[in-house]
Amino acid sequence: RNTVLKCPGSESRNLTIEEVKCPHCGEIEEIFSNELRVKCHKCGQWVYKEQAPSCIDWCAKAKECIGAEKYQELRGFKTEGVGSGK
């Protein structure tokens, strides 16, 4: 029996929405679960969502699983710091 394993974090059919307050102007913005940041519609600054530890922090196969480009994007985001505005 050939079973294909898939990372549960890569499922895009079950997106959720999180409301995050812009640290620059206080506007409430919506961020989907597959997004790391959005631009504030009021002031134009980047608004980052809170990042909990994920598989890229501990899984040796994370880069292979999500792809090198996405892995670098996520690692870069974590080193920038949440809410840094960069």
Side-chain angles (χ1 to χ4, degrees), residues 6-76:
K6 185 175 180 181
C7 176
S10 67
E11 181 60 54
S12 63
R13 288 183 286 168
N14 299 317
L15 294 177
T16 58
I17 298 174
E18 179 181 342
E19 289 187 342
V20 180
K21 186 185 229 182
C22 176
H24 308 283
C25 72
E27 185 75 6
I28 301 296
E29 292 295 331
E30 293 181 341
I31 300 180
F32 285 92
S33 55
N34 65 342
E35 297 176 311
L36 299 175
R37 63 185 185 171
V38 295
K39 277 208 174 192
C40 177
H41 289 87
K42 186 174 180 182
C43 71
Q45 296 293 319
W46 285 112
V47 178
Y48 293 82
K49 72 177 179 181
E50 188 69 32
Q51 287 291 299
S54 71
C55 62
I56 66 166
D57 297 316
W58 54 265
C59 181
K61 299 280 187 177
K63 190 173 186 178
E64 179 183 328
C65 179
I66 64 174
E69 185 177 328
K70 189 67 169 177
Y71 180 82
Q72 287 303 109
E73 177 186 349
L74 293 171
R75 293 304 302 162

